[in-house]
Amino acid sequence: MTENTSTTKKERNDLPDRPPVITVMGHIDHGKSQLLDHIRHTNVVEGESGGITQHISAYEVVHESKEHGTKKITFLDTPGHEAFQAVRAHGAQVADIAILVVAADEGVKPQTKEALETIKAAGIPYIVALNKIDRPEASTERTKMSLSEHEIYIEEYGGDVPCVPISAKTGEGLDVLLDMILLVAELEELKGDPEDDPTGVIIESNVDQRKGVSATLIIKNGTIETGNFIVAGDAYAPIRIMEDFVGKKIPQASFSMPVRIVGFNKPPAVGSTFQIVKNKKEAEALVKENVTERKQASTEMATGEKKEIVFPLIIRADVQGCLEAIKHEFNKIESDLVEIKIVSEGVGSISESDVKMVAGNDHSTILGFRTPIDAGVSDVAERMNVEIETFDVIYKLTEWLGEKIKEITPLQEIDEELGQAKILKNFSRSKNKQVLGGKVTEGKLTKGDRIKILRRGENVGRGRILELQSQKIKTNEVHEDSEFGTMLETKEDVSSGDTLVAFKTVEK
């Protein structure tokens, strides 16, 4: 027994080091994309709408270090806009180490704090990259103080978080940053077993008009080879075409490698884990098992009263990650009267079948995000009274949706309070008319006002002010702190101590 334990321990120590998987996070314009551009010598920003990285991608780089030798590092390029919190969260779950980019000329911003919360929730170590030190207005000391004020305690100030000043523009400090990544990875003792069962996470999926459905994934352990099948949730694919991050076809791939597999039956969900099986029969059985487990785990949310307006939507995006981000944005929109009902969602172009799917419903809309509309579909949509809206920047879609919800929300009748009065005495009653004396405690009462009658805070009836007197002189209104007499029309017996609340009903 002891011998087997020792052998196991020895085998574990003999396992090769696994290249670290890095996620880069931070505020929207603090230089994350520029940092990755400089590291991998490509340009993401110019090809992205609005200057915002809106897809997850993964890249391998090789860094030569005097202390660590030549090592590989895998970078995840996670979106920077706040709308992509859900996508960023997936990035942190698959990553080993995070880089929190903070601009030296601005310090900690709202999305910096949001990114930090995501990193802490993932339980991974992180490095602060103090970017834009080349700018005249940059102040590293002021920014470091800003970090400590937000509970980011860097090593220089007695904490345990490494902080590396850099310029993503000039490249200053990037070698030091990469050295620091390798040092942290060494301390984390990242190991991989090439002979273990392959495991990992889907980080992107999309539909290519020529190739079909493909997915990008990060392998966390084991080795994937062509000839097997991959299963992720309710999606599966034969591993016939496997590409590395530059698009080169490869026969196998091992831990920490980003690879793209083509040929899925449907786009797998971003963030889902995958398993490898030998054949299609095993793949289909595993998909069925995954679907059953998901149904058992899910519970129906209590919806309460049915909402007045149903807003049927079809969502089409270019990649699965964007689709997840859009749905995340939908969760922020609250309406008591309008229910957003997603009829269909998926990646790919907007087709005629999409239009026909929602035609005939009030407010039917198809939302496209960075995806084309098939030829002739716009004409069909116009004939069938289906609205098609396309966007290429997430916050513009969110703004449009918020305005649309306001537009279709039916007006509600709301009682606006005008004033309150305390009843001091009931002088007389004749059928539905009562003569009362009281004092205005808030606002004013006006002849003709509708009123609510409150007794010990409870609404016991309603009525209308027929006449008002102030100092025994008839008047049209009485104001706060004024004593008054009134003739009230109501079926309720009003007593001293009751409160009259004057109100008007408005539509909002």
Side-chain angles (χ1 to χ4, degrees):
M1 188 72 162
T2 306
E3 185 178 346
N4 288 340
T5 305
S6 301
T7 302
T8 303
K9 186 174 181 181
K10 182 180 179 182
E11 287 174 353
R12 187 178 298 115
N13 289 335
D14 288 342
L15 290 175
D17 291 336
R18 178 169 64 78
V21 178
I22 312 300
T23 183
V24 182
M25 296 185 174
H27 191 64
I28 188 168
D29 57 356
H30 279 193
K32 300 179 302 299
S33 294
Q34 196 173 36
L35 168 62
L36 286 164
D37 289 344
H38 210 108
I39 289 173
R40 67 179 183 262
H41 303 296
T42 60
N43 192 306
V44 168
V45 175
E46 287 182 4
E48 292 288 351
S49 302
I52 304 171
T53 306
Q54 303 194 58
H55 297 168
I56 285 183
S57 300
Y59 311 86
E60 261 185 352
V61 300
V62 177
H63 177 60
E64 294 184 9
S65 168
K66 291 181 180 179
E67 294 183 7
H68 305 282
T70 302
K71 299 282 186 179
K72 285 184 177 180
I73 304 172
T74 296
F75 282 92
L76 296 177
D77 184 0
T78 55
H81 190 275
E82 66 172 349
F84 288 82
Q85 183 182 4
V87 181
R88 271 208 306 273
H90 290 313
Q93 287 164 8
V94 72
D96 303 305
I97 302 167
I99 296 176
L100 183 62
V101 179
V102 183
D105 59 342
E106 289 191 344
V108 175
K109 303 292 280 185
Q111 288 163 350
T112 314
K113 293 185 283 186
E114 184 187 277
L116 180 63
E117 289 173 4
T118 303
I119 293 167
K120 288 182 175 180
I124 57 175
Y126 68 100
I127 302 165
V128 172
L130 214 56
N131 193 25
K132 302 187 179 182
I133 59 172
D134 55 290
R135 292 193 170 185
E137 60 271 31
S139 172
T140 56
E141 290 306 313
R142 185 177 66 241
T143 306
K144 288 174 183 177
M145 290 299 295
S146 174
L147 293 172
S148 61
E149 288 169 4
H150 290 86
E151 300 182 353
I152 303 172
Y153 303 115
I154 62 175
E155 290 175 338
E156 187 179 337
Y157 289 172
D160 57 359
V161 179
C163 180
V164 181
I166 67 165
S167 168
K169 183 178 180 181
T170 66
E172 182 182 351
L174 293 192
D175 281 344
V176 179
L177 178 62
L178 295 175
D179 284 344
M180 183 59 71
I181 289 171
L182 294 178
L183 175 60
V184 173
E186 188 177 284
L187 295 173
E188 289 295 302
E189 297 183 343
L190 304 174
K191 300 288 184 179
D193 185 351
E195 297 180 5
D196 203 353
D197 291 335
T199 58
V201 180
I202 303 294
I203 61 168
E204 190 56 274
S205 60
N206 69 336
V207 179
D208 186 284
Q209 296 293 339
R210 292 181 297 105
K211 294 182 178 180
V213 182
S214 64
T216 303
L217 51 96
I218 295 288
I219 306 168
K220 294 306 293 281
N221 202 23
T223 301
I224 296 179
E225 297 180 342
T226 54
N228 292 323
F229 275 70
I230 182 170
V231 178
D234 59 352
Y236 71 91
I239 308 175
R240 296 194 188 101
I241 303 175
M242 185 163 57
E243 303 170 344
D244 63 12
F245 74 97
V246 294
K248 180 183 176 183
K249 290 183 181 179
I250 51 175
Q252 66 176 32
S254 193
F255 40 76
S256 298
M257 286 184 66
V259 295
R260 180 175 292 272
I261 292 176
V262 180
F264 278 87
N265 64 321
K266 63 186 297 185
V270 171
S272 60
T273 56
F274 65 77
Q275 294 170 267
I276 303 297
V277 293
K278 293 180 180 179
N279 53 52
K280 185 177 181 180
K281 185 177 180 181
E282 288 183 16
E284 290 174 337
L286 185 55
V287 164
K288 187 175 180 180
E289 184 181 320
N290 290 343
V291 171
T292 302
E293 287 179 0
R294 187 173 64 185
K295 286 180 179 178
Q296 290 173 345
S298 65
T299 55
E300 292 294 328
M301 298 293 290
T303 56
E305 293 184 5
K306 189 175 180 180
K307 297 187 178 181
E308 290 188 22
I309 301 294
V310 175
F311 183 24
L313 281 178
I314 287 180
I315 313 169
R316 294 288 178 257
D318 58 340
V319 292
Q320 189 73 23
C322 288
L323 195 63
E324 297 293 329
I326 291 167
K327 292 193 293 181
H328 176 73
E329 282 296 280
F330 284 6
N331 292 333
K332 296 180 181 179
I333 298 173
E334 297 180 357
S335 174
D336 294 330
L337 300 176
V338 178
E339 175 191 354
I340 297 175
K341 183 179 181 181
I342 300 176
V343 178
S344 175
E345 61 182 71
V347 295
S349 62
I350 296 170
S351 67
E352 186 174 330
S353 61
D354 294 333
V355 175
K356 292 178 178 178
M357 194 183 302
V358 290
N361 296 304
D362 292 337
H363 315 296
S364 295
T365 304
I366 300 172
L367 293 182
F369 188 78
R370 299 175 58 139
T371 191
I373 302 172
D374 289 350
V377 170
S378 296
D379 293 336
V380 176
E382 188 174 349
R383 288 199 306 271
M384 294 188 170
N385 200 28
V386 173
E387 186 174 2
I388 297 178
E389 296 288 341
T390 58
F391 302 88
D392 57 8
V393 176
I394 190 72
Y395 66 80
K396 290 184 179 179
L397 184 153
T398 308
E399 289 173 355
W400 176 88
L401 185 61
E403 289 300 316
K404 186 68 176 180
I405 295 296
K406 288 181 183 178
E407 178 188 317
I408 66 177
T409 299
L411 293 175
Q412 289 180 285
E413 288 191 345
I414 298 173
D415 292 341
E416 282 191 354
E417 188 176 306
L418 304 172
Q420 288 191 17
K422 200 78 170 178
I423 296 303
L424 304 176
K425 190 172 182 179
N426 188 323
F427 291 106
S428 66
R429 176 185 177 92
S430 175
K431 293 185 179 179
N432 290 339
K433 296 178 182 177
Q434 298 176 54
V435 178
L436 309 167
K439 183 177 181 178
V440 182
T441 55
E442 291 180 24
K444 67 178 182 178
L445 304 186
T446 304
K447 182 180 176 180
D449 278 351
R450 296 165 63 200
I451 58 99
K452 299 175 185 176
I453 303 165
L454 304 185
R455 185 169 298 147
R456 292 184 290 276
E458 296 293 326
N459 190 343
V460 296
R462 294 197 175 200
R464 184 180 297 275
I465 296 173
L466 299 179
E467 291 183 11
L468 281 173
Q469 286 187 1
S470 178
Q471 298 178 348
K472 298 184 179 180
I473 300 172
K474 287 187 177 181
T475 183
N476 287 325
E477 59 184 36
V478 287
H479 295 265
E480 191 169 338
D481 294 330
S482 300
E483 291 192 357
F484 65 93
T486 181
M487 180 180 285
L488 192 69
E489 183 181 44
T490 179
K491 294 178 181 179
E492 182 66 33
D493 283 327
V494 182
S495 307
S496 59
D498 288 350
T499 299
L500 303 185
V501 178
F503 69 95
K504 65 177 180 179
T505 301
V506 296
E507 285 190 337
K508 284 190 175 180

